Amino acid sequence: MSRKTFRQLLEKYLRGECTPQEKRFVEHWYGLLETETGESGEELDMDELEGRLWNQIQKKMDTSEDPEQGRIVPLQRVRYRWLGLAASLLLIGGWFYLSQPIRNLLPGQAPSTNEQTGWIDRSNTSSRSVEIRMEDGSVVQLSAKSSLRFPKHFAADKRTVYLTGDAFFSIQKMPSRPFYVHTGEVVTKVLGTSFFVRTEAESGKVRVEVVTGRVTVYKQESEKQTSANGVFLTPNQAATFFADEQHFVTGLVDTPKVIQPTGTEKKPGSLVFDDAPLTDVLARLEQAYGIDIELENDQQKSCPLTANLTDQPLYTQLDIICAALKSTYKIQGTTILISGKSCTE
């Protein structure tokens, strides 16, 4: 291997495009650099890092040679020693990788050895989210201590990625090419939308929160069984999969957001009310957030409400409504239920 070829390999590694064997090869020498010299590659630019690593490689190659200065080592002999050293490292690394039990692989990393060709692994070791743009125009905000595996080129009929940790997805709409996010035992299927996926490694709990569009979430076993083993979510709805109980629990996101209407949808009206019937107020909130709000007591429908709910979070708006009508509310699944007496009582 020439120095030019090694530099190309290092650049490929920094772009996250190495094969698993190439990745382990580069990281082996990176580890030697930090262990034997105390130098951290994080503080070096590309040229310095490449130079230090190359020097480490040359140093290891020369350790078995006669230290006599000026000795000329035949090129052919160097080449064979280099190939032997590289082959040994790759064989050891390959044996270690293939001998690990399947359970030790990261959740979602299901592709076989043959299917790994053309896949990219990105891990976020920083303390902030990292933006990843894929070839279809979709964008992923990968959270800290999370990783994402995705193909360099998506298949013609579907787009599949594997997530470990947390991420926010903004997916380009392609009805003929659904987008699948595999997270442990859970698969999230979308056509074009934005949503969060959050996981807990220890418990295996997976939570999906929808911001825009519609999402189907189901267990890994079979997409055909989504009606029995999965859920359908719309904006401001969430589903949590509990691995121990092997079931989903639906609910609302912690902070519902006003849904931005598309060009064909009607914009929500004003949230300033003057003696407006409660049923009209709730209808306005339902339109704004896409959340069902029900009254336990139908006699409350005509109760008048005077209030300015503009620029207030949904749960604060409900607090204001309930305080005015001496009522209470609770969340049942993806529905909000208001309970109280008639305003005439």
Side-chain angles (χ1 to χ4, degrees):
M1 177 184 287
S2 66
R3 182 165 183 173
K4 179 179 179 181
T5 303
F6 176 73
R7 182 180 178 88
Q8 292 172 344
L9 175 61
L10 183 60
E11 291 173 345
K12 185 179 178 182
Y13 172 83
L14 294 176
R15 292 194 303 268
E17 299 175 356
C18 280
T19 65
Q21 290 85 357
E22 291 172 333
K23 182 178 179 181
R24 284 190 293 275
F25 180 75
V26 173
E27 290 177 348
H28 169 82
W29 293 108
Y30 182 91
L32 285 180
L33 172 67
E34 188 166 0
T35 301
E36 298 187 4
T37 69
E39 296 176 310
S40 173
E42 297 178 356
E43 302 174 355
L44 304 176
D45 59 27
M46 177 61 189
D47 292 334
E48 290 177 317
L49 179 60
E50 182 268 336
R52 301 292 174 84
L53 290 175
W54 182 254
N55 288 339
Q56 282 292 306
I57 293 173
Q58 296 301 306
K59 178 181 176 181
K60 291 297 179 184
M61 288 175 58
D62 293 339
T63 53
S64 62
E65 296 297 335
D66 190 330
E68 178 182 354
Q69 293 186 359
R71 175 169 182 170
I72 300 176
V73 180
L75 178 61
Q76 184 178 12
R77 188 173 175 183
V78 172
R79 183 185 299 116
Y80 284 130
R81 190 187 317 114
W82 165 263
L83 291 174
L85 178 61
S88 298
L89 288 171
L90 291 177
L91 285 173
I92 292 172
W95 172 84
F96 177 81
Y97 179 79
L98 294 175
S99 65
Q100 298 306 296
I102 295 297
R103 64 179 180 271
N104 287 342
L105 293 175
L106 291 175
Q109 293 191 353
S112 65
T113 303
N114 292 334
E115 293 173 330
Q116 289 176 359
T117 303
W119 286 75
I120 299 173
D121 291 286
R122 293 288 174 86
S123 296
N124 182 6
T125 58
S126 69
S127 59
R128 298 181 296 179
S129 63
V130 173
E131 182 178 284
I132 298 175
R133 292 183 175 272
M134 289 171 281
E135 66 160 3
D136 66 333
S138 298
V139 179
V140 180
Q141 298 291 338
L142 187 63
S143 299
K145 299 180 181 179
S146 302
S147 60
L148 184 72
R149 167 177 286 187
F150 58 98
K152 188 174 183 180
H153 300 292
F154 286 116
D157 59 340
K158 62 182 179 180
R159 297 167 288 169
T160 302
V161 302
Y162 295 85
L163 171 69
T164 302
D166 302 346
F168 175 74
F169 293 83
S170 181
I171 305 304
Q172 286 290 332
K173 188 173 183 179
M174 295 182 180
S176 62
R177 300 171 74 192
F179 196 100
Y180 297 86
V181 180
H182 292 253
T183 314
E185 297 182 71
V186 176
V187 180
T188 304
K189 176 186 176 182
V190 301
L191 297 178
T193 182
S194 57
F195 57 97
F196 287 96
V197 178
R198 312 181 196 276
T199 64
E200 290 183 6
E202 294 183 359
S203 65
K205 185 167 69 175
V206 179
R207 180 175 172 86
V208 178
E209 302 175 359
V210 179
V211 177
T212 61
R214 293 170 173 81
V215 167
T216 302
V217 186
Y218 58 93
K219 287 178 61 177
Q220 180 89 27
E221 285 86 346
S222 174
E223 181 181 347
K224 295 180 181 179
Q225 300 176 7
T226 54
S227 60
N229 295 331
V231 294
F232 180 77
L233 303 176
T234 56
N236 288 320
Q237 294 183 352
T240 303
F241 177 76
F242 293 87
D244 292 340
E245 295 84 1
Q246 290 287 296
H247 72 96
F248 288 94
V249 173
T250 58
L252 299 178
V253 299
D254 293 337
T255 308
K257 303 291 185 183
V258 173
I259 300 172
Q260 298 300 322
T262 62
T264 58
E265 293 179 342
K266 184 178 180 181
K267 294 183 179 180
S270 169
L271 294 179
V272 178
F273 304 97
D274 184 9
D275 280 338
L278 179 59
T279 185
D280 291 349
V281 176
L282 299 184
R284 198 77 56 79
L285 293 180
E286 286 183 326
Q287 181 186 2
Y289 295 95
I291 297 174
D292 291 333
I293 305 176
E294 298 180 359
L295 288 172
E296 188 177 52
N297 184 354
D298 286 342
Q299 293 181 352
Q300 284 190 299
K301 289 183 177 179
S302 59
C303 290
L305 179 71
T306 298
N308 183 357
L309 305 180
T310 306
D311 297 330
Q312 296 291 341
L314 173 60
Y315 297 138
T316 301
Q317 294 170 337
L318 292 172
D319 287 337
I320 294 173
I321 293 172
C322 289
L325 301 178
K326 298 180 180 180
S327 302
T328 60
Y329 75 90
K330 60 183 177 181
I331 299 172
Q332 292 185 331
T334 57
T335 300
I336 296 174
L337 180 65
I338 295 179
S339 302
K341 296 181 180 180
S342 168
C343 51
T344 59
E345 296 182 15

